Amino acid sequence: MSNPMFEMRLYLLQRLTAILMLPMVIGHLATILYATRSELTAASILERTQSSPWLVVFYTAFVVLVSIHAPLGLRKIMGEWLRFSPKLANRISVLLCLGFLGLGLRGVWALTGAAMP
Amino acid sequence: MPHLTVRIWRGADEGEYQSFSVPMRENQTVLDVVSEVQRSQDQSLSYRFACRVGVCGSCAMMVNGKPRWTCRTHIRSLKSGVVTIAPLRNMPRIKDLVTDMSGFIDKWGKAGNVFESERDRRDAPVAVDPSSPRRKAADAAIECINCGVCHAACDVVSWNDSYLGPAALNRAWSLVNDERHSRKKETMAAAMGDGGCGNCHSQGNCMAACPIGLSPTRSIAGLKKMSLMSLLGGSDV
């Protein structure tokens, strides 16, 4: 890379997203456990999620963080284990990032669409 | 007298293991066994050693798959009737048990590891407080004798050619904590560059393999922390 600090910045970005995601993963798991163990029907779950602006904020942030964090980890695996060239690994990582963003935000929209302003 | 089967790598990158039978003795190191094979069975066997007492670090080889100082490894401690000896991992092989360590040494240079001082012999020596946190951090890393065992133990080195490796980064850590070193910023820039500390996965193989119990893993963790602080604007280098 032309900028010698490029890798270190990506490293920093991956660690920061990890720190931010840690409490969110716990929140996400707690939500799943609550939703699946409290005998709520799919319809009543959707009714609750679609009336909560907080859920929109929480899951949009979560999706963005995952879309940054996961491709950075996969990029390292592609370079170190699969021996992909840096250019190829970078391109696939960008595609993965966009893919995760698209899928994730579509999921957020489906769950919480009615709560959007 | 019972005998030990020793499988020794012969050749360079292309080659094969050759088996030898060596008398088993009461006190016998792996280096003793290699020397006995070379002196009594095959004089064309190439290997390196110098001090034979764990000071120079030149006899490092892979013993049953692990990098070790052969002079400090007793055959008895291996608890195995068959001993497999190969040249150090992650380095080009020259012949038999001898590797080309120039790439390993070059990485020391790439990590900004030459001590530089702005003072000369007319200046008074710097008063270094041995109990300061910085000096303690440098002292914990400074006993490395460059044997290459940690470099051979590191999986990231085997995956990523540009990675500087645990020995070079451990040295960089001792220098950025040395208050007499005048090029700390350059050393830090090299240690956090493309092949630098961010590549380490903290597997700890280097720490487990170091014959004198140093922890390059901890040194690299220190460099990572320092790098993040400097990128976030709170540099204390």
Side-chain angles (χ1 to χ4, degrees), chain A residues 10-116:
Chain A
L10 293 185
Y11 174 87
L12 173 67
L13 199 58
Q14 201 192 14
R15 266 56 184 181
L16 282 178
T17 50
I19 292 167
L20 292 171
M21 278 195 303
L22 190 63
M24 300 187 97
V25 168
I26 295 168
H28 175 59
L29 288 175
T31 307
I32 291 176
L33 285 176
Y34 175 74
T36 54
R37 294 190 174 212
S38 56
E39 295 179 8
L40 289 168
T41 61
S44 61
I45 290 173
L46 269 181
E47 189 185 320
R48 291 181 185 202
T49 58
Q50 287 179 347
S51 61
S52 167
W54 280 111
L55 229 62
V56 182
V57 175
F58 181 88
Y59 275 106
T60 303
F62 198 23
V63 164
V64 170
L65 290 171
V66 169
S67 306
I68 296 170
H69 183 87
L72 285 174
L74 293 169
R75 176 176 170 272
K76 273 288 178 198
I77 293 172
M78 286 187 274
E80 291 180 352
W81 286 14
L82 305 177
R83 302 272 177 178
F84 287 4
S85 70
K87 198 181 233 177
L88 181 62
N90 284 343
R91 284 182 180 172
I92 295 176
S93 302
V94 169
L95 287 178
L96 284 171
C97 174
L98 295 174
F100 290 152
L101 264 181
L103 286 171
L105 291 178
R106 188 182 166 278
V108 174
W109 175 258
L111 260 186
T112 62
M116 295 241 182

Side-chain angles (χ1 to χ4, degrees), chain B residues 23-212:
Chain B
M24 217 178 239
R25 301 176 201 284
E26 185 61 25
N27 277 308
Q28 188 178 32
T29 65
V30 175
L31 182 60
D32 291 337
V33 168
V34 174
S35 296
E36 185 157 350
V37 168
Q38 199 262 346
R39 284 172 195 180
S40 63
Q41 300 189 37
D42 187 344
Q43 293 185 354
S44 70
L45 175 65
S46 300
Y47 66 109
R48 282 198 187 108
F49 76 97
C51 76
R52 300 190 297 176
V53 289
V55 174
C56 71
S58 55
C59 69
M61 300 167 200
M62 304 300 291
V63 180
N64 287 353
K66 289 185 179 167
R68 318 184 67 140
W69 286 351
T70 52
C71 72
R72 300 287 287 175
T73 305
H74 278 269
I75 292 292
R76 211 173 40 217
S77 73
L78 296 173
K79 296 184 172 58
S80 164
V82 180
V83 178
T84 303
I85 307 171
L88 276 183
R89 184 173 164 244
N90 295 336
M91 296 178 199
R93 296 168 174 189
I94 297 174
K95 178 176 179 288
D96 303 341
L97 301 171
V98 179
T99 55
D100 177 1
M101 297 182 82
S102 54
F104 165 68
I105 303 292
D106 288 345
K107 285 184 173 178
W108 272 57
K110 284 185 192 151
N113 285 343
V114 177
F115 175 82
E116 299 258 0
S117 174
E118 284 169 347
R119 306 164 78 90
D120 63 27
R121 62 191 170 82
R122 286 174 293 274
D123 296 317
V126 179
V128 177
D129 176 6
S131 63
S132 70
R134 272 282 165 93
R135 190 63 230 170
K136 281 184 174 169
D139 281 347
I142 211 162
E143 295 292 341
C144 173
I145 59 169
N146 226 356
C147 66
V149 160
C150 58
H151 199 76
C154 178
D155 283 341
V156 183
V157 170
S158 73
W159 299 326
N160 181 351
D161 292 337
S162 67
Y163 180 46
L164 297 170
L169 291 170
N170 180 70
R171 166 72 176 160
W173 176 243
S174 69
L175 276 182
V176 295
N177 282 296
D178 188 334
E179 54 197 287
R180 302 163 306 154
H181 182 46
S182 59
R183 291 170 64 83
K184 289 193 190 68
K185 279 199 161 41
E186 288 78 0
T187 301
M188 200 57 220
M192 59 194 278
D194 275 0
C197 60
N199 292 285
C200 169
H201 292 297
S202 308
Q203 288 178 329
N205 288 351
C206 52
M207 177 176 68
C210 178
I212 53 174

